[in-house]
Amino acid sequence: MRTTLKRPTPAADPQRALQREALHELDDGQVVMRHLAGEPQAFGTLVDRYQTRLLNFVNRTIGDRERAEDLVQEVFIRVFRHLHRFDQTKKFSTWIYTIASNLAKNELRNRSRNPLVLFQTIKKNWEADHRPLQFEDTTARPDDLYRKRFLKDAVDQCVQRLPEHHREVFVLRELEGKSYQEIAEITGCNLGTVKSRLNRARNSFAQLIGPSLV
């Protein structure tokens, strides 16, 4: 049975509502400091900020949304237990993504088959500033949506054939919009290895998807 991360029940007290709003205006490092100082709503702010993003990342990495939900719960449990050990000179986002990445890797190691990772479109310019891939535009014309959905199906079949270590850097860069330095820290690889793996992943992906675009 899946466990659910316990979070404070929203209070009707206007003062607490203002406190929550104030927390959301702070950067990650400031919210972490508030949590360590005993602010009861600070950790919930971190959950709000990262839960959906981590779920998308883990789901695209392992290809199983239900299991991804479990793993994201585990991420926040580990963060809560070890936040006092977080080096506040570093980026919190890199730290929490590293935890999520390690859990996803462990999940893949325990599987007998590579997972299916979903991508919804192809990035036209691989070297664009650290923006993630764009998803379906619901305002597009029906024929455009049809083409995008057709492309998504083709992508599904190609991405599952990428090796795990290529898929990971591809997801982090092209869907999560992480910088090369962040990817290096998350994966524990040097910049040269990250760039090499990403380049190979892009080339392999382009070759695999090419016949579907003719």
Side-chain angles (χ1 to χ4, degrees), residues 6-46:
K6 299 296 183 182
R7 298 181 51 198
T9 302
D13 185 354
Q15 183 61 34
R16 295 194 66 183
L18 289 174
Q19 291 174 346
R20 289 199 303 274
E21 291 180 9
L23 283 168
H24 281 283
E25 295 298 320
L26 302 178
D27 63 32
D28 290 344
Q30 292 171 319
V31 176
V32 168
M33 291 179 65
R34 291 290 186 90
H35 170 73
L36 295 176
E39 168 59 59
Q41 300 183 72
F43 192 76
T45 299
L46 294 174

Side-chain angles (χ1 to χ4, degrees), residues 21-142:
E21 291 180 9
L23 283 168
H24 281 283
E25 295 298 320
L26 302 178
D27 63 32
D28 290 344
Q30 292 171 319
V31 176
V32 168
M33 291 179 65
R34 291 290 186 90
H35 170 73
L36 295 176
E39 168 59 59
Q41 300 183 72
F43 192 76
T45 299
L46 294 174
V47 174
D48 289 341
R49 196 168 287 181
Y50 283 95
Q51 188 167 42
T52 299
R53 292 160 62 182
L54 290 178
L55 178 58
N56 288 338
F57 166 57
V58 176
N59 182 41
R60 290 167 187 142
T61 301
I62 70 173
D64 182 337
R65 186 176 181 84
E66 183 172 339
R67 180 59 180 148
E69 291 173 354
D70 291 334
L71 292 178
V72 170
Q73 296 296 327
E74 178 63 24
V75 169
F76 285 114
I77 290 170
R78 294 190 181 194
V79 168
F80 187 84
R81 289 175 177 170
H82 302 292
L83 196 53
H84 63 284
R85 296 163 53 186
F86 167 61
D87 181 354
Q88 295 186 47
T89 65
K90 307 294 185 180
K91 291 183 66 173
F92 176 79
S93 61
T94 300
W95 186 61
I96 196 169
Y97 265 92
T98 300
I99 295 173
S101 176
N102 288 337
L103 288 174
K105 287 178 183 177
N106 289 338
E107 176 70 16
L108 292 179
R109 290 190 188 103
N110 292 331
R111 293 187 178 186
S112 60
R113 298 177 60 189
N114 286 335
L116 172 65
V117 181
L118 301 180
F119 290 93
Q120 294 190 327
T121 188
I122 298 175
K123 199 172 189 180
K124 292 182 179 179
N125 182 1
W126 293 119
E127 295 301 332
D129 293 341
H130 312 313
R131 294 175 296 175
L133 288 168
Q134 301 300 307
F135 293 91
E136 282 193 1
D137 178 4
T138 57
T139 65
R141 298 180 304 175

